[in-house]
Amino acid sequence: MKYNTFVTHLECSLSGNRYEKDFVHGLSNEGKPLLVRYDLEKIKDVISKDYLTKTEKHGFWRYSFLLPVEDTNIISLGEVVTPLISLENIAKKLNYTGDLLVKDEGLLPTSSFKARGLGVAVSMARQFGIRHLAIPTNGNAGAAMAAYAAKVGIKCTVFCPEDTPEINIREISRLGAEVFKVNGLINDCGKIVLEGKEEVGWFDISTLKEPYRIEGKKTMGLELAEQLNWELPDVIFYPTGGGTGLIGIWKAFSELQQLGWIGKKLPRMVAVQAEGCAPIVKAWRQGNETAELWENANTIAAGIRVPIAVGDFLIIRAVNESKGFAISVTDNEIIKARDLISKTEGTLLCPEGAATLAAFKKSLSEGLISNNDRVILFNCASGLKYSLPDTKNILNKDQPVDYSIF
Ligand SMILES: *Cc1c(COP(=O)(O)O)cnc(C)c1O
């Protein structure tokens, strides 16, 4: 089936004011994220769940009826539906009687879930004829943007903190983008992008400062619902940086409800942050609606080292609406969780993904979740994109091997 999109308009996430769909937008006039709205009644009439078994589109593009991209502008790099992996060995170890599953996003193009948001946002840039994109990134977003843009010849400029995992920086560069290491954090990089807008003429594709990355990230919620046969889980643990994914998943569930594809039951949304950078957790605990800048942000989980988020109020709102909570874990707990899962389940998580396992363990021991919940953790990138401990074992083939050591 071929169609244009079902987008009706865009809406300011704070004021609800309406914006026309066929124009290039950044933030709303109030300086807040814009959300895309669809004609859900129309979708209900022409698309059924059945469509998903028939479509020839790949991965998250299977949901293009709930996306703003016209078919002819879709950029595809071989997206897949990411697997849900049961962590049964860990559950047993913890005497957990519920279901513990991880959605492994490391199998997407450029090995992270940033492919979802940037696949859609770069395709929209193509739709609007934008020729130059700029982004602040902790690594994965820059790589995803560079990849999708390379496919259609859009110029990319990338700014990342100088201590961003080296593999990401090299990956971005190989994908044809110009990448700069900045002696600061992601918000410092964001400032450079913002301030260069007029002089250079690039489009600022910072997360939630344009309306479409969240639409791509939303597909995590759509895909999860489909994989669970339209029965949502009890709890979702989400590693929260800019929070685009958490907000997007929550938006997806609302759209699915309006389509009548899922029932009333919604999961509790849990925002997971690192203790060295936990602005959302702090704000949520204090009962605030927005978060303050986190000073001296520091954690090995690069993707969630985000000291300030433009969508802070939307993250906190989703957490509260869902009766969820926000929780932080230490880097030490993150590393321990990563080692536990790799050695007992054979799945190597990224530190951000491991943070969700650490948060799960903590929540369980603090009684924040019940022992028979169905829980979903998000592993947002391949563990191979991060530096891993070296091995000390060396064997000299020219000397007799001491087989007693094995
Ligand atoms: C970007 C990123 C996050 C945070 O995602 P948001 O939706 O922006 O909060 C978490 N983990 C990894 C690996 C990331 O690249």
Side-chain angles (χ1 to χ4, degrees):
M1 192 191 327
K2 204 169 147 59
Y3 47 78
N4 277 326
T5 75
F6 293 99
V7 176
T8 53
H9 64 284
L10 287 76
E11 201 178 277
C12 172
S13 54
L14 186 69
S15 66
N17 286 342
R18 220 180 141 97
Y19 291 75
E20 297 298 316
K21 63 174 175 160
D22 293 323
F23 294 90
V24 175
H25 293 292
L27 291 168
S28 73
N29 294 335
E30 290 85 355
K32 298 298 173 198
L34 286 172
L35 301 175
V36 181
R37 297 299 179 203
Y38 301 84
D39 186 346
L40 296 168
E41 287 305 311
K42 178 91 173 285
I43 297 177
K44 218 171 172 171
D45 284 346
V46 295
I47 308 265
S48 66
K49 289 176 184 170
D50 230 24
Y51 167 83
L52 293 169
T53 61
K54 296 186 193 128
T55 176
E56 283 169 8
K57 289 177 180 147
H58 297 290
F60 57 79
W61 291 119
R62 296 164 66 249
Y63 296 100
S64 58
F65 53 93
L66 276 172
L67 293 174
V69 186
E70 289 165 5
D71 275 4
T72 48
N73 291 313
I74 286 177
I75 309 168
S76 180
L77 298 178
E79 298 74 19
V80 295
V81 171
T82 62
L84 271 180
I85 303 167
S86 166
L87 303 182
E88 55 215 14
N89 297 331
I90 290 181
K92 204 177 270 171
K93 232 184 163 111
L94 298 174
N95 289 322
Y96 188 66
T97 51
D99 241 353
L100 180 61
L101 301 157
V102 61
K103 189 155 169 66
D104 190 2
E105 296 280 293
L107 283 85
L108 288 164
T110 67
S111 308
S112 88
F113 67 10
K114 290 297 194 300
R116 295 182 187 266
L118 285 141
V120 170
V122 176
S123 295
M124 286 306 285
R126 178 192 201 188
Q127 191 158 307
F128 284 119
I130 292 169
R131 304 301 313 150
H132 188 178
L133 299 170
I135 198 169
T137 179
N138 283 324
N140 290 324
M145 173 183 79
Y148 281 93
K151 188 81 172 174
V152 291
I154 295 176
K155 182 176 174 180
C156 288
T157 310
V158 177
F159 301 93
C160 54
E162 60 191 350
D163 58 351
T164 298
E166 191 58 33
I167 191 74
N168 271 307
I169 300 176
R170 294 182 189 194
E171 178 189 20
I172 293 165
S173 170
R174 282 316 90 200
L175 289 164
E178 249 199 315
V179 55
F180 297 88
K181 301 187 203 180
V182 177
N183 58 336
L185 295 177
I186 191 167
N187 48 319
D188 301 305
C189 298
K191 201 162 160 237
I192 296 169
V193 171
L194 178 71
E195 289 174 358
K197 244 159 91 170
E198 236 159 79
E199 188 165 338
V200 191
W202 58 40
F203 180 74
D204 181 351
I205 203 161
S206 303
T207 200
L208 288 171
K209 290 190 184 168
E210 60 77 54
Y212 304 115
R213 282 176 65 175
I214 179 176
E215 292 304 295
K217 279 250 187 126
K218 176 181 89 178
T219 62
M220 285 190 281
L222 303 173
E223 206 173 282
L224 180 66
E226 184 188 3
Q227 280 175 307
L228 296 177
N229 205 17
W230 312 104
E231 272 279 333
L232 295 184
D234 298 298
V235 192
I236 291 178
F237 284 82
Y238 187 82
T240 306
T244 314
L246 190 146
I247 303 163
I249 291 170
W250 195 240
K251 182 175 190 276
F253 294 160
S254 157
E255 290 172 357
L256 287 176
Q257 274 188 332
Q258 290 172 70
L259 287 177
W261 287 20
I262 57 172
K264 282 214 173 75
K265 182 189 159 185
L266 293 172
R268 301 170 71 200
M269 302 295 293
V270 179
V272 178
Q273 298 201 300
E275 227 145 82
C277 181
I280 299 296
V281 176
K282 184 175 171 207
W284 181 80
R285 286 210 178 117
Q286 295 178 342
N288 295 337
E289 281 171 21
T290 57
E292 283 166 16
L293 176 88
W294 187 276
E295 301 287 349
N296 304 317
N298 176 34
T299 167
I300 53 158
I304 53 175
R305 195 178 61 173
V306 179
I308 189 157
V310 60
D312 55 358
F313 66 107
L314 297 171
I315 305 169
I316 293 169
R317 194 187 285 171
V319 166
N320 286 333
E321 278 177 7
S322 73
K323 302 190 169 57
F325 53 93
I327 188 168
S328 58
V329 291
T330 64
D331 278 9
N332 202 18
E333 289 168 323
I334 290 175
I335 290 169
K336 270 172 68 183
R338 181 179 70 186
D339 287 351
L340 172 69
I341 188 172
S342 53
K343 286 170 186 165
T344 56
E345 302 281 2
T347 295
L348 183 62
L349 300 187
C350 64
E352 299 84 347
T356 65
L357 177 59
F360 164 79
K361 283 175 67 180
K362 201 177 226 173
S363 306
L364 192 60
S365 68
E366 289 178 9
L368 294 167
I369 58 171
S370 102
N371 201 48
N372 46 24
D373 278 339
R374 171 175 268 187
V375 169
I376 308 294
L377 312 177
F378 270 90
N379 182 51
C380 13
S382 164
L384 295 175
K385 296 194 92 173
Y386 298 75
S387 71
L388 295 169
D390 203 1
T391 178
K392 305 219 165 29
N393 299 334
I394 288 174
L395 196 67
N396 184 347
K397 69 171 173 37
D398 299 324
Q399 281 180 0
V401 174
D402 174 9
Y403 282 99
S404 73
I405 64 171
F406 302 108

